[in-house]
Amino acid sequence: MSTLQPAPAPAGAVTAPPRGPRPLPRWASVVLALAAGAGLLLSFPPYDLWWLAPVSVALLAAAAHRRRLRAGFGVGMLAGLVLFVPLLDWTHIAAGWLPWMLLSLAQAGYLGLLGLATAWLSPLVDRFRAAWPWVAGLLWVTQEALRDRAPFGGFPWGRLAFAAQDAPALRLAVLGGAPLVTFALAAAGGALVALAWQAVSSWRGRTPAVGDRDPRAWLGAAGFAVAAAALLAGPAFVPTAAPASQTRTVAIVQGNVPRLGLDFNAQRAAVLLNHVRATERLAAEVRAGGKPQPALVIWPENSSDIDPLRDQDAAQKIAGAANAIGVPILVGTVLRGDVPGEIRNAGVLWMPVTGPDLAQLYVKRHPVPFAEYMPMRPIARLVSTKVDLVQNMLAGSTPGVIRTEAATIGDVICFEVAYDGIVRDTVTGGAQILAVQTNNATFNEAEARQQLAMVRLRAVEHGREALMVSTVGVSAFAGPDGRVHASTGFNVDAVVLRDMRVGGPRTLATRLGQWPELALVALTLLVLAGAVPLRRRRRNSDMIDAQGKTEER
């Protein structure tokens, strides 16, 4: 009995690239996209299930693989909505539901582009299955690079790297910053989906020349399993920056914000008074021997919403606190401009006896669009009735390098901690410790904990001890190994002291700056362009298949 063999392809015939399993049914892609978005959400604080990040990358890659470009965009967009709508729900507390929805839609659109790019590269990963991890890592880094910058300076919330606060991959920040951490987690996800694809191909016997018992199939699966394990666990062996030898005692003051029974002006005065009184109580405990003398005190953003350079009463209160504690206080304040409605969000160093040192003043460089200043105000009025309540916050032009006798502080304000370059500029400018002054009073604890995860990454990235001080919490210190120390509660008043190590050598990530990210983005563009001939071959093959079926009929 003879066995029929397929006829060899004629010379010059178009040969299709190897195909993986068929595209998933539409319903299965939708389910995987929903699961991917939910997994990404749970990987971030306050849930902190970081291991779900690479799993979610794998699910989204599988959902978009071999789909049409429009369908790839759709599944990415769906995953993005499931992620960003709940992740950013704290924005509606201050801005209302419509701005919250618009921001979530805009952020989800970038995951839509990621899904589209995944679909575009399907012929490439079908032909070179070992490319799956690299493709996933490159696409996620590029998506985040774009989202971090556009529009209006970008909005980096929800980067994979910010889910890695308890993951071994966090240590990679010392080598290549947040982009390298994102790359590792996404590449691990790519290895997981390649492992699953390899297993399905082997089970179905669809891989060319590979049957159910062909050892090459299992060797390929083992290789992807090892790659995923190495990407997830391997970074644990990357050493963090060596700690500095000198220490300084730093106090952070979380004065809390009264919420009931006060009008706007009375509340501003009460917030300032809370921070003054907390500092004066600390001074009394120091004099009594109950607490060590700090070398520096740091107050949060908006601890004085009353401009102390123009309001004599506010200035006297801050001066009283500085004189009582006997050391400089870095005060988060709002400075009024000469033009009505113009303000600056600033950190100013207030010295005992002599008062504000205006040579050591940092003005926030990246005000938040639509919250601290209003682009396209006439159009924005159609979206929210609160538009005209937003004043025009002017951006600063110099990095937040505050020099004191105790230490040189790298100061950033609130959301600025999410931007790689703004933090790095303080370290290249000489910062020995990192300080994030923030005001979470109009948000919630989830937002504060998401922000603290960013502080932890920055401490590892630059090999500097860091702190976050908030009006209401969460306030904490973070070491260059990423560990959190002395974290406070939320909606409480607290004063925390810690001996912080100051200085240390610059890390590789600090020295390289944005070059690792630029290199990964450039590779992504090359890979996207390299898929063009493969897509043409796939299209020609589909046309030949369709023609053959027509002739058979």
Side-chain angles (χ1 to χ4, degrees):
M1 181 177 177
S2 62
T3 303
L4 295 176
Q5 299 291 334
V14 175
T15 303
R19 293 174 182 260
R22 294 169 182 161
L24 295 171
R26 185 179 301 174
W27 66 265
S29 287
V30 169
V31 170
L32 289 183
L34 293 171
L40 287 169
L41 174 66
L42 294 175
S43 68
F44 290 99
Y47 311 104
D48 296 322
L49 303 177
W50 69 264
W51 51 270
L52 283 176
V55 173
S56 301
V57 169
L59 293 175
L60 183 54
H65 183 58
R66 302 210 68 227
R67 304 219 72 84
R68 294 183 182 274
L69 299 184
R70 184 170 58 183
F73 181 87
V75 295
M77 186 80 178
L78 185 59
L81 288 172
V82 175
L83 165 63
F84 285 110
V85 171
L87 184 73
L88 304 178
D89 76 323
W90 44 266
T91 60
H92 85 273
I93 301 172
W97 71 270
L98 186 54
W100 166 36
M101 289 295 108
L102 291 174
L103 178 61
S104 299
L105 279 167
Q107 297 303 295
Y110 288 97
L111 286 194
L113 294 175
L114 175 70
L116 184 152
T118 302
W120 171 265
L121 291 175
S122 295
L124 176 68
V125 294
D126 277 345
R127 186 173 181 84
F128 307 106
R129 196 161 293 169
W132 266 109
W134 303 101
V135 165
L138 291 173
L139 290 181
W140 275 89
V141 170
T142 301
Q143 173 264 139
E144 289 184 357
L146 180 61
R147 189 163 62 85
D148 297 352
R149 292 167 172 83
F152 306 111
F155 189 72
W157 227 265
R159 297 171 74 177
L160 282 186
F162 297 152
Q165 58 174 339
D166 295 318
L170 182 67
R171 291 184 171 228
L172 292 175
V174 77
L175 303 177
L180 187 58
V181 178
T182 286
F183 179 85
L185 290 177
L192 290 175
V193 72
L195 172 62
W197 225 249
Q198 181 76 31
V200 172
S201 295
S202 175
W203 176 68
R204 290 183 175 180
R206 292 185 179 275
T207 303
V210 177
D212 290 342
R213 298 180 181 178
D214 193 314
R216 287 176 293 177
W218 303 112
L219 285 175
F224 289 126
V226 169
L231 287 162
L232 293 174
F237 299 98
V238 175
T240 54
S245 57
Q246 291 187 331
T247 62
R248 298 289 185 272
T249 303
V250 178
I252 54 177
V253 177
Q254 178 179 305
N256 208 2
V257 174
R259 297 182 180 274
L260 297 176
L262 297 176
D263 62 24
F264 178 71
N265 290 325
Q267 178 154 306
R268 292 192 305 165
V271 171
L272 172 58
L273 192 58
N274 282 357
H275 288 86
V276 168
R277 287 175 174 170
T279 305
E280 290 175 342
R281 287 195 297 270
L282 171 62
E285 292 183 77
V286 170
R287 289 194 296 271
K291 294 279 181 69
Q293 172 68 53
L296 180 67
V297 176
I298 302 182
W299 289 4
E301 176 192 26
N302 301 130
S303 49
S304 179
D305 257 357
I306 304 170
D307 184 350
L309 303 185
R310 294 176 180 264
D311 187 288
Q312 190 62 32
D313 183 59
Q316 288 179 351
K317 286 183 171 62
I318 297 171
N323 292 338
I325 195 65
V327 298
I329 302 175
L330 181 59
V331 179
T333 187
V334 175
L335 304 179
R336 309 290 162 181
D338 295 328
V339 177
E342 287 189 348
I343 58 175
R344 292 176 293 163
N345 193 345
V348 59
L349 192 68
W350 205 283
M351 306 296 294
V353 182
T354 58
D357 182 354
L358 298 184
Q360 304 302 324
L361 180 147
Y362 170 60
V363 175
K364 187 175 185 179
R365 297 167 64 192
H366 197 301
V368 179
F370 303 103
E372 295 177 324
Y373 75 98
M374 190 60 60
M376 305 184 302
R377 192 177 291 264
I379 298 174
R381 287 194 187 100
L382 302 176
V383 176
S384 174
T385 59
K386 300 179 180 180
V387 166
D388 291 320
L389 297 178
V390 178
Q391 301 185 73
N392 184 25
M393 183 174 288
L394 304 179
S397 58
T398 57
V401 180
I402 306 292
R403 291 178 170 83
T404 75
E405 290 187 4
T408 300
I409 307 166
D411 187 28
V412 297
I413 297 177
C414 200
F415 289 3
E416 289 186 320
V417 68
Y419 296 89
D420 299 347
I422 291 178
V423 180
R424 177 179 178 268
D425 285 348
T426 69
V427 181
T428 57
Q432 297 172 304
I433 60 174
L434 301 176
V436 180
Q437 296 177 287
T438 187
N439 176 18
N440 308 110
T442 53
F443 302 129
N444 58 25
E445 186 172 354
E447 183 273 343
R449 295 202 175 278
Q450 291 161 15
Q451 205 169 20
L452 181 58
M454 303 175 196
V455 177
R456 295 174 65 177
L457 182 140
R458 299 307 179 195
V460 176
E461 180 179 13
H462 298 294
R464 296 289 186 269
E465 295 221 355
L467 63 89
M468 183 170 95
V469 56
S470 169
T471 48
V472 298
V474 175
S475 302
F477 295 88
D481 58 359
R483 295 181 182 177
V484 173
H485 305 279
S487 177
T488 68
F490 194 73
N491 278 341
V492 296
D493 58 277
V495 176
V496 185
L497 289 85
R498 178 172 172 79
D499 291 338
M500 298 186 72
R501 296 181 182 271
V502 298
R506 293 183 183 178
T507 65
L508 181 62
T510 304
R511 295 196 298 270
L512 292 177
Q514 63 181 353
W515 286 110
E517 184 180 48
L518 290 175
L520 292 171
V521 170
L523 283 173
T524 305
L525 298 177
L526 289 174
V527 170
L528 291 171
V532 172
L534 290 174
R535 290 191 63 84
R536 287 176 179 168
R537 293 177 65 185
R538 172 64 54 82
R539 184 171 63 250
N540 293 338
S541 173
D542 290 342
M543 292 173 63
I544 293 171
D545 290 346
Q547 183 179 359
K549 290 178 181 178
T550 302
E551 292 174 353
E552 287 176 4
R553 294 196 189 103

